[in-house]
Structure formats: structure tokens, C-alpha cells
Amino acid sequence: MRQSLMTQGVSAMLAVATAILAAAAARADFRLGPAQVVQASGAAIDVGTYSVPCFGDWNADGVPDLVIGRGDGRVSVYPNTGTAGAPAFTTATSFLATAGGPTLDVGSSGCMGSFPRLVDWDDDSDLDLLVGDTYGKVRVCVNQGPPTSPHFAYPTYVEVGLPGSKDEIDVGYRAAVCPADWNGDGRGDLVIGDLGGAVHVLLNEGTAAAPDFRAAAVLQDAVAGTDLEVPDGRSSPTMADLDGDGLADLLVGNTEGELLLYVNVGTAGTPAFSDYVFLESDGAVVDLSGDARSRPFLCDWTGDGLQDVLVGAADGVVYLYEGVPEPATLALVALGGMAVLARRRRA
């Protein structure tokens, strides 16, 4: 029995060490330049309060556009008048609830209004709009127009549950929704942050064209075996492979305006997460002033093949952190492992 307990203890320590070294290696690989403020016509874009940016080719013209959730519950669209590698913006339009209809407004309360994400929801090769709201719900606006001239059906709530007993997705408050193929099966799943700092995972058990969510699960800490809780709450997840191992990692914003990187230590089909590191910008930990409510979005802003980060915040502007190439070395990994132990706080 004593030998068994010792073996279990060693295994647990190895699991923790693996997670720490993986996170350290990822931080060595994924580095960010200094903060920039995204502009339109030479002035900072400012949507008032609680900006939530995303970046995608809204009108299928070959250049990605900027779509921003606002603290008042509406969504602003900034068409890209520049290029794929050098985005430029002039004026914004408001997203309409229906073609020619009223402006979309999902309501607002506290520190969040709309939380938009572009996704091909029904697998018809155009982009639809997925919107989380402050009340913990998620809605979808299906694009009914041609890709180059989008117009949308009235928003409907996304539901979860068994056939015949479905109800609206409800994560409590602050539904920070991220569409992703969580388990690598080619179907779009949902990853959703919430007010308390949990991360909810809803697997698509339908098809790519007709999503069907039958259960919601709270992401577990792969080492501790308990609910993974993002420090300081208001978890805001976005996903991409940030360490070049072919597995999607989690980058999460929080109440304090930080960016926490959780490296995937599982597999493509069964992701697993445990330890985290705080991302740095130009050598200092990203920590927006005040209780900024950082809401990140991973994208290739400059078209150079590196992941960049757009971050929305309480002040209503959109921050840009460009990815900086710097290959990891064994020495960096080792030093990073020590830094992780030093930087973990408020756990």
C-alpha cells in the first residue's frame, strides 16, 4: 500500500512538472510585442465600454474585417479598407438583427454587453454571427445572404439537452463564447467562459451543418481533478495552437485584465489543461489598468503566419499585441519553468 501511494505521488508530481514545463515552453515560443491601440481614420476605435473584438472576412472580399461587441449590447462592424497584412478601417456600421430590420441589441448589465464571434454555423461557406450575452445565454444569427452581401435571420437562442427536452444554454452570467473543434472530430463545439471563472465545454453531437448540443461540462484541471477556475473570474477563452505541437491551447482573459495561457497537455481528441502562465508583452506581464475585463481573440492580424492577440477591455478600445518570433531553447524552457513557479499568484 505504501509503495502504491508513493507511486501515485510520484505520478502526480510528474504530471504537474509536465504541465509546468509545457506551459514554460509555450511561453518561450509565444511572445508578444508592445501593446498597440487599433485605430480607424487615425483615431482610436472606441465603442464606449467593454469592447469584445473578433476578426474575420465578414463580406468575403478576401480581407478580414473587425467585428466588436459593445457594452451597450450592440455589435459594430468595421470593414477592412486595407489589406490582409495591413488592416485599415474608416467607419463602422451597426449589425442589424434582420436584413433592413432593427439594430441587434442583446442587452447589457454590469460589465458586459454583446460577445460576438464569427463562425460558419451551418456549414454553407459563409460566416454567421454567434453572440454571448451578459445573462449567460448564447444566440446565433444565421447569414441568409450571399457571402459578399451578408444579411441575417433574426437571432435565436442556442439550446442544449436531449431531444425533446432542450433548453437555452445558460452559464449563469457573462457568456464569453468561443466556437472551436474541441475534440478534433470536424464538428463545431462551444467553449464558454463565465462570471465565476469556469470554462464550459459543449460538444456538437449533430453535424457540421446542424449542430446539436446534448450536454454541458465544466472543464476539469487535468492534475487536480477539480473544476478548472481562472483566477479572478470572468473567464474569456480563445483557442489556437500557440506552441507549435499541433494541439489547440487555451488563452483566457480575466477580471484583472491579464492573459493566462493554458497549454494543452492532452491530445487532439482529448484536450487536457492544468497549469498556466501569464503572457508577457515586450518583457512585462500583460495587465491592463484597473479591473479591465480582458477579452482576447487570437488571429493573424499581420498575415505573417504568427498568432497575434486582439484584446477588448472595459475602456471600450481594442488593444493589439503582435506575435514576435523567437524559437524556444532548452535553456529557455528550464528558466521558464522556474518563472512559472514565481509568477503563479492568486491560485
Side-chain angles (χ1 to χ4, degrees):
M1 174 64 74
R2 179 174 298 176
Q3 181 65 35
S4 176
L5 289 174
M6 289 178 62
T7 301
Q8 291 176 17
V10 170
S11 298
M13 291 175 64
L14 286 174
V16 172
T18 299
I20 289 175
L21 288 174
R27 186 174 62 191
D29 276 340
F30 187 55
R31 304 176 66 86
L32 300 176
Q36 306 172 52
V37 174
V38 180
Q39 298 188 345
S41 299
I45 290 175
D46 187 344
V47 298
T49 58
Y50 302 113
S51 54
V52 181
C54 66
F55 195 51
D57 192 357
W58 172 264
N59 52 7
D61 63 355
V63 292
D65 309 297
L66 185 61
V67 177
I68 309 176
R70 302 166 25 158
D72 63 4
R74 300 185 178 189
V75 176
S76 292
V77 181
Y78 286 82
N80 186 352
T81 58
T83 66
F89 311 97
T90 53
T91 57
T93 60
S94 292
F95 182 88
L96 302 180
T98 57
T103 299
L104 177 70
D105 187 343
V106 299
S108 63
S109 177
C111 60
M112 197 175 98
S114 60
F115 196 106
R117 291 293 180 255
L118 295 170
V119 61
D120 186 359
W121 183 256
D122 50 4
D123 198 30
D124 64 352
S125 301
D126 60 28
L127 290 178
D128 310 297
L129 189 74
L130 198 64
V131 189
D133 68 28
T134 191
Y135 309 107
K137 307 295 183 70
V138 178
R139 290 173 241 195
V140 62
C141 303
V142 174
N143 189 350
Q144 296 182 318
T148 55
S149 182
H151 63 267
F152 297 83
Y154 196 79
T156 58
Y157 285 101
V158 182
E159 296 184 327
V160 62
L162 297 174
S165 60
K166 290 187 177 295
D167 203 356
E168 298 164 358
I169 291 173
D170 188 347
V171 298
Y173 291 97
R174 314 298 190 267
V177 63
C178 170
D181 184 2
W182 179 264
N183 56 0
D185 64 357
R187 294 176 289 185
D189 309 308
L190 296 179
V191 182
I192 309 175
D194 71 10
L195 177 65
V199 176
H200 306 257
V201 179
L202 291 84
L203 297 180
N204 181 2
E205 300 186 48
T207 65
D212 181 10
F213 305 101
R214 301 195 174 185
V218 174
L219 181 61
Q220 299 293 291
D221 184 308
V223 174
T226 56
D227 292 352
L228 187 150
E229 293 185 5
V230 175
D232 299 303
R234 293 178 176 83
S235 49
S236 181
T238 182
M239 296 191 72
D241 178 12
L242 299 179
D243 58 359
D245 65 354
L247 305 177
D249 306 302
L250 269 175
L251 180 63
V252 189
N254 68 358
T255 298
E256 294 296 317
E258 299 158 327
L259 299 177
L260 292 80
L261 173 58
Y262 292 82
V263 175
N264 187 350
V265 294
T267 65
T270 309
F273 304 91
S274 180
D275 211 344
Y276 62 86
V277 290
F278 293 100
L279 284 192
E280 296 181 353
S281 163
D282 209 25
V285 170
V286 175
D287 190 357
L288 300 176
S289 62
D291 291 338
R293 277 75 165 170
S294 47
R295 281 147 185 168
F297 182 80
L298 287 161
C299 63
D300 184 1
W301 181 264
T302 56
D304 61 359
L306 297 175
Q307 290 288 341
D308 308 306
V309 188
L310 292 171
V311 183
D315 59 11
V317 305
V318 175
Y319 297 91
L320 167 65
Y321 298 89
E322 293 184 18
V324 177
E326 183 169 334
T329 65
L330 185 59
L332 279 174
V333 171
L335 289 171
M338 295 298 290
V340 172
L341 294 175
R343 291 190 186 280
R344 284 208 61 170
R345 48 194 167 106
R346 295 190 297 273

